[in-house]
Amino acid sequence: MVLSKTTSESDVSVHSTFASRYVRASLPRFEMPENSIPKEAAYQIINDELMLDGNPRLNLASFVTTWMEPECNKLMMDSINKNYVDMDEYPVTTELQNRCVNIIARLFNAPLEEEETAIGVGTVGSSEAIMLAGLAFKRLWQNKRKAEGKPYDKPNIVTGANVQVCWEKFANYFEVELKEVKLREGYYVMDPIQAVEMVDENTICVAAILGSTLNGEFEDVKLLNDLLIQKNKLTGWDTPIHVDAASGGFIAPFIYPELEWDFRLPLVKSINVSGHKYGLVYAGIGWVIWRTKQDLPEELIFHINYLGADQPTFTLNFSKGSSQVIAQYYQLIRLGYEGYRNVMENCRENAIVLKEGLENTGRFNIVSKDEGVPLVAFSLKDNSIHNEFEVSETLRRFGWIVPAYTMPANAQHITVLRVVIREDFSRTLAERLVLDIVKVLHELDTLPARLSAKLEVAEENNLIIHPNGPTDLAGIKKDNNNNNNNNKGIKKTDIEVQREVTDYWKKYVLARKAAVC
């Protein structure tokens, strides 16, 4: 019997992607293909691969908004082809950006008259906003030093060790020394007293965080302001403050209105906030607001006219989409003060539900604070058998993405898990997460102890694990005493052991992720 192949080479007559030849070939990874493929096949194949991504709604590692109303989604799609920088061609979009700047500036209590225009700009996110604010501080400091005939080649900025990596990027890219206030166990934010002690004549500003990414805690900007005023009076300096309110800027005004952290404090000269976090807009929008026009050097503002009119611009990039700006204005007028307050109160209450559920297990210490960004950071009371990295890894089987990480310098032996409560994280999900964490704990309890626990048992039995096998620890110590050799067999402290174990699991988890990719 003769079998014949009747399918055409082009498969033009085949309407099902899965019946076509395109699903039999691997997608190009390094070079552009020679031939085109049908749009349906391109969509289906890419969409299928994207199914392997995590579910954004269950990504509890991220502060970034993962849900918006359909009406706002439509507005974004309708304006996705508008270039934000073409101000003369899209004047209404530019006007909406200016409205957002004015609204946010007044939300942060900028000293403005009723009809006065605020000074600020929309950015891709808080990282760009921080770069712009830092550049303004650096240029103001340099100009003053030049006018005084003093050296201006060694600027520094004082922050806590808990700052986001964008501050390290700013310091590296723009040649500013980063002076970090180290953390300590139980205190995971910048200490204002230590920060002010580190300020010197070369300090361009002190950066305070309203909502640490580590545990959500608000730093004490009021105390920092008061201490810095005193130091400025004693020294004759005028060291200012920048507030990194990426996470907390759209939270504090609504549920902590009496908290003084913004332009009510005289030394606060600029504030950044992420619209794509608790501003409730999809990723790609941030804002930076200056106290007055004098706080943004005119020389940093460029004026362009090749698109049809004079356009002032102060950004690190040029072209970008308009959708996020339009979405931010939608949220501000759609929700208003009442809506934002309700959203933030819901987030706070659901964070409390999760926190209480974790406490009721009796297995966790809560590291986060009740006042701050609505998140729950927690660590195992006993991680000698199984640790936080294992809990994080096992939770992925239930669909949850819950990060585990170590604290920064001087507290790096502390490992925590963190759940960020966003607008779309309901009480039902909070209760379900607690149930799944309990299941994970029960499952881990039935598994063999991890490597670190075996090491501890070996040490208790006077054995130390070497690459070539176990060795009698007592014998090594005896030889060490006889030979005065201090390089072998020294028992590490608990903190050193914990750090080694943490490093091991970090490498293990990274290796697992790399293998998946």
Side-chain angles (χ1 to χ4, degrees):
M1 180 178 182
V2 179
L3 298 177
S4 61
K5 180 177 175 67
T6 60
T7 304
S8 66
E9 284 299 315
S10 63
D11 287 338
V12 173
S13 62
V14 178
H15 296 288
S16 171
T17 298
F18 296 115
S20 71
R21 61 186 171 87
Y22 303 108
V23 296
R24 298 197 300 268
S26 299
L27 287 180
R29 299 184 64 184
F30 302 106
E31 294 182 359
M32 182 180 293
E34 287 292 330
N35 301 316
S36 303
I37 65 174
K39 59 183 183 293
E40 297 85 0
Y43 171 83
Q44 187 67 61
I45 295 169
I46 295 174
N47 184 68
D48 288 351
E49 191 168 7
L50 287 172
M51 290 192 303
L52 297 173
D53 271 346
N55 183 339
R57 294 280 302 278
L58 299 182
N59 178 11
L60 307 184
S62 178
F63 293 84
V64 176
T65 297
T66 54
W67 179 87
M68 296 183 73
E69 292 177 325
E71 292 77 7
C72 192
N73 291 339
K74 187 175 187 304
L75 273 176
M76 294 182 73
M77 291 306 300
D78 289 346
S79 58
I80 199 167
N81 59 350
K82 291 183 181 179
N83 189 353
Y84 165 85
V85 80
D86 294 346
M87 299 179 184
D88 195 54
E89 287 77 3
Y90 307 121
V92 176
T93 299
T94 302
E95 170 62 18
L96 296 187
Q97 186 229 217
N98 294 338
R99 292 179 191 177
C100 289
V101 168
N102 284 311
I103 291 170
I104 295 169
R106 285 167 172 80
L107 189 65
F108 295 166
N109 294 293
L112 299 167
E113 300 296 331
E114 185 174 349
E115 299 295 327
E116 185 178 356
T117 300
I119 306 300
V121 67
T123 61
V124 174
S126 275
S127 292
E128 184 188 6
I130 285 168
M131 302 285 176
L132 299 178
L135 281 172
F137 282 120
K138 181 181 179 183
R139 186 60 58 89
L140 287 171
W141 174 83
Q142 287 177 325
N143 290 344
K144 182 182 179 184
R145 299 283 289 183
K146 289 177 184 178
E148 295 173 346
K150 297 178 180 178
Y152 54 90
D153 59 334
K154 294 182 179 180
N156 69 65
I157 188 168
V158 176
T159 71
N162 56 316
V163 292
Q164 214 264 355
V165 69
C166 59
W167 284 100
E168 298 177 32
K169 289 182 178 180
F170 166 75
N172 191 337
Y173 296 166
F174 297 104
E175 298 181 324
V176 176
E177 179 190 0
L178 188 66
K179 300 172 71 173
E180 292 186 341
V181 178
K182 302 303 181 185
L183 310 184
R184 59 183 183 271
E185 186 170 348
Y187 196 92
Y188 303 116
V189 292
M190 180 178 70
D191 185 337
I193 297 175
Q194 292 183 35
V196 173
E197 289 175 352
M198 295 174 70
V199 169
D200 58 32
E201 64 178 348
N202 294 321
T203 302
I204 63 175
C205 78
V206 180
I209 303 178
L210 193 76
S212 171
T213 57
L214 300 179
N215 67 347
E217 188 174 351
F218 291 164
E219 292 182 345
D220 194 339
V221 188
K222 176 68 165 60
L223 177 58
L224 176 65
N225 177 85
D226 295 345
L227 293 173
L228 204 48
I229 286 176
Q230 295 176 17
K231 183 157 188 174
N232 285 344
K233 286 181 179 179
L234 290 174
T235 60
W237 305 332
D238 56 358
T239 307
I241 296 172
H242 174 85
V243 178
D244 180 356
S247 298
F250 278 111
I251 296 172
F254 303 108
I255 57 178
Y256 306 112
E258 302 304 319
L259 182 67
E260 293 184 58
W261 63 273
D262 52 19
F263 292 122
R264 286 170 289 183
L265 303 175
L267 291 184
V268 175
K269 303 299 183 181
S270 57
I271 300 171
N272 69 275
V273 64
S274 291
H276 59 222
K277 292 182 181 177
Y278 288 93
L280 308 181
V281 178
Y282 291 141
I285 184 68
W287 304 93
V288 56
I289 310 294
W290 283 271
R291 183 185 191 89
T292 66
K293 188 176 182 179
Q294 290 70 37
D295 297 310
L296 175 57
E298 176 65 29
E299 64 210 74
L300 293 179
I301 301 174
F302 288 82
H303 294 266
I304 56 175
N305 61 14
Y306 82 88
L307 291 174
D310 179 69
Q311 300 173 13
T313 176
F314 180 39
T315 58
L316 294 181
N317 66 308
F318 196 63
S319 295
K320 67 177 179 180
S322 298
S323 297
Q324 273 74 9
V325 172
I326 294 168
Q328 183 71 83
Y329 186 64
Y330 171 92
Q331 293 289 47
L332 291 173
I333 67 167
R334 159 77 175 97
L335 295 173
Y337 193 94
E338 175 191 25
Y340 269 95
R341 184 182 64 244
N342 290 340
V343 169
M344 302 312 156
E345 286 178 347
N346 286 346
C347 290
R348 180 173 60 181
E349 291 176 10
N350 288 332
I352 292 173
V353 169
L354 178 60
K355 172 192 168 187
E356 292 175 348
L358 293 171
E359 288 177 329
N360 290 339
T361 67
R363 302 284 294 270
F364 296 104
N365 291 316
I366 304 299
V367 178
S368 51
K369 305 295 183 181
D370 290 336
E371 182 176 291
V373 177
L375 61 79
V376 183
F378 52 103
S379 60
L380 287 166
K381 290 182 177 180
D382 179 9
N383 60 5
S384 60
I385 305 299
H386 297 286
N387 63 22
E388 291 82 359
F389 291 103
E390 291 175 275
V391 175
S392 173
E393 187 74 11
T394 310
L395 274 172
R396 283 180 174 264
R397 296 215 323 267
F398 293 85
W400 302 105
I401 303 174
V402 178
Y405 55 88
T406 57
M407 290 295 188
N410 288 10
Q412 59 264 56
H413 60 286
I414 305 297
T415 307
V416 299
L417 295 147
R418 186 194 69 200
V419 173
V420 177
I421 309 300
R422 298 188 303 270
E423 174 189 19
D424 54 345
F425 189 81
S426 64
R427 178 166 183 163
T428 299
L429 287 178
E431 293 171 346
R432 168 57 60 185
L433 177 58
V434 172
L435 292 175
D436 287 343
I437 288 175
V438 171
K439 291 178 183 177
V440 166
L441 293 175
H442 288 165
E443 180 177 332
L444 290 176
D445 287 342
T446 64
L447 296 177
R450 57 189 168 83
L451 178 61
S452 62
K454 295 178 181 178
L455 286 171
E456 291 171 7
V457 171
E459 289 194 358
E460 288 177 2
N461 293 324
N462 283 331
L463 292 175
I464 186 166
I465 304 298
H466 286 290
N468 295 328
T471 305
D472 180 61
L473 181 60
I476 291 177
K477 288 183 176 178
K478 183 177 180 180
D479 290 339
N480 289 342
N481 291 333
N482 293 335
N483 299 323
N484 262 343
N485 185 351
N486 294 321
N487 295 324
K488 295 182 179 179
I490 299 177
K491 186 174 181 179
K492 296 180 174 60
T493 65
D494 291 341
I495 290 179
E496 288 173 332
V497 171
Q498 181 63 27
R499 286 175 180 170
E500 287 190 358
V501 170
T502 299
D503 288 341
Y504 168 82
W505 278 101
K506 285 171 69 176
K507 292 176 182 176
Y508 171 77
V509 171
L510 288 173
R512 288 285 299 276
K513 290 180 179 177
V516 171
C517 294

